Amino acid sequence: MELRQVDIDKFNKGRESDNPRFWSRFSEKPDLTGATVLDVGCGWGSLCVDMALAGAQKVVGLDLKSELIDFANENLKQSYPELTKIVEFKDIDLKYYYDDVLFDFIVSKDTFEHIIDLAEMLGKMKKRLKPGGRVYAGFGPLYTSPYGDHDRRRTAFRSWRLWGRLLALIPWGHLLMESTLIEMSRRYRGRKINSVYDLGLNRMSVSDFRRVFRESGLSIIDFRVNQSNSIQSKVFSLLRRIAFLEDYCTHNIYCILEKR
Ligand SMILES: C[S@@+](CC[C@H](N)C(=O)[O-])C[C@H]1O[C@@H](n2cnc3c(N)ncnc32)[C@H](O)[C@@H]1O
């Protein structure tokens, strides 16, 4: 199988810039030496490769998109043959993965805002963690933040050309025109789009995430928000102190959860 340059670029960007930034946003980085790790929503697999190179004993990457898993497996074979006994990629939902295989760590990068039933997923994660095992999840933008539609507007309104691009620039615009966004997405994608969930977004705000984490039975060890050096993020961090603006001005979350 020949690897596409666009996928190789995504993988390299992960290793060179996205993954170091991901870890830097937590209060601490886990010691991966000899650890077993599960990556939920592993995408192109760069974080799994990094964790294996950092000394993990076993790394499993899961993603629902088979084309990404095909790339991750082939890239591993071609570029990191020495890791093929350590890293494993599978295109299955966690619920179908062995429930008797327990991990020291579960890591998830830029995926929690896409998982439609996060409460159920956290239950499955808890089941697969060793006692004392931890979840490291960092993700955003959250749906209720200014650009929480993950560019779905730009795509759906492509036929509107300049107007479409301008519409995509309006902060929180997707919240104001949600039904139009769904209708335009249905036309653009030509398949059943009946809700924001069908666009791969779970509509959760920071309050929703906090509640679901609290109800998961996992202990919240650390919960950081708006981890970014941009000026915009700093302004939002000030604005989110006003109670009713908190959900609208919190754009990412970096949290550590533990199974006691
Ligand atoms: C924005 S991508 C992030 C990929 C990778 N972690 C990265 O940072 O490059 C989100 C990924 O989560 C995956 N995903 C969404 N829901 C999932 C689920 N329930 N289980 C596993 N993967 C899921 C999607 O298929 C997608 O590849």
Side-chain angles (χ1 to χ4, degrees):
M1 173 186 157
E2 200 173 325
L3 302 177
R4 295 187 317 155
Q5 191 56 44
V6 57
D7 292 322
I8 296 172
D9 291 346
K10 290 272 191 187
F11 177 87
N12 288 337
K13 183 169 171 286
R15 290 217 57 209
E16 285 156 21
S17 55
D18 297 353
N19 299 345
R21 189 181 57 203
F22 172 76
W23 288 119
S24 73
R25 290 176 168 182
F26 291 97
S27 54
E28 51 153 64
K29 185 179 173 182
D31 179 4
L32 296 168
T33 316
T36 54
V37 193
L38 173 69
D39 180 353
V40 174
C42 65
W44 291 263
S46 67
L47 195 59
C48 292
V49 166
D50 278 351
M51 294 191 290
L53 291 172
Q57 174 204 122
K58 181 78 197 162
V59 183
V60 176
L62 303 185
D63 201 289
L64 300 181
K65 290 188 182 155
S66 54
E67 67 276 18
L68 298 185
I69 293 299
D70 288 345
F71 168 84
N73 272 319
E74 189 61 28
N75 183 46
L76 187 73
K77 244 194 303 177
Q78 291 185 21
S79 314
Y80 302 92
E82 73 281 13
L83 299 182
T84 49
K85 288 205 163 62
I86 299 173
V87 182
E88 176 189 7
F89 294 110
K90 283 192 178 292
D91 57 343
I92 52 167
D93 190 298
L94 183 54
K95 71 176 155 207
Y96 301 117
Y97 192 75
Y98 313 100
D99 59 4
D100 55 346
V101 178
L102 303 186
F103 294 89
D104 295 301
F105 299 110
I106 297 180
V107 174
S108 188
K109 174 175 170 292
D110 291 328
T111 297
F112 269 27
E113 77 276 32
H114 298 287
I115 296 177
I116 306 304
D117 193 342
L118 187 64
E120 191 192 356
M121 174 62 90
L122 287 170
K124 292 178 208 153
M125 289 183 169
K126 187 175 169 215
K127 202 168 172 186
R128 287 162 179 85
L129 272 178
K130 293 180 187 172
R134 288 184 167 190
V135 177
Y136 285 73
F139 53 95
L142 311 188
Y143 186 68
T144 49
S145 68
Y147 300 102
D149 62 329
H150 287 247
D151 255 351
R152 302 304 194 257
R153 270 177 289 168
R154 192 184 299 274
T155 310
F157 291 93
R158 190 160 279 172
S159 60
W160 291 17
R161 296 173 188 272
L162 178 63
W163 291 114
R165 290 204 294 278
L166 288 175
L167 263 182
L169 290 176
I170 300 171
W172 298 282
H174 58 294
L175 301 180
L176 301 171
M177 55 169 92
E178 199 176 83
S179 52
T180 316
L181 172 63
I182 292 165
E183 176 58 33
M184 290 301 284
S185 302
R186 189 183 298 139
R187 285 190 209 171
Y188 176 79
R189 297 190 185 208
R191 62 181 166 92
K192 253 171 102 185
I193 304 283
N194 294 319
S195 70
V196 172
Y197 303 134
D198 296 326
L199 295 173
L201 302 169
N202 65 15
R203 296 185 88 239
M204 288 173 72
S205 66
V206 66
S207 318
D208 297 324
F209 282 107
R210 214 185 270 119
R211 175 181 47 76
V212 168
F213 291 159
R214 266 198 223 111
E215 291 170 0
S216 71
L218 294 162
S219 305
I220 302 175
I221 301 296
D222 197 42
F223 189 92
R224 300 178 168 221
V225 301
N226 288 3
Q227 294 297 293
S228 163
N229 290 326
S230 74
I231 293 177
Q232 196 188 43
S233 178
K234 305 250 178 269
V235 173
F236 287 147
S237 291
L238 289 175
L239 290 174
R240 71 183 288 282
R241 293 181 191 177
I242 303 167
F244 79 95
L245 291 182
E246 190 188 14
D247 282 345
Y248 300 103
C249 295
T250 306
H251 62 89
N252 66 30
I253 297 174
Y254 285 76
C255 64
I256 305 174
L257 313 172
E258 186 176 272
K259 177 172 173 173
R260 291 267 160 88

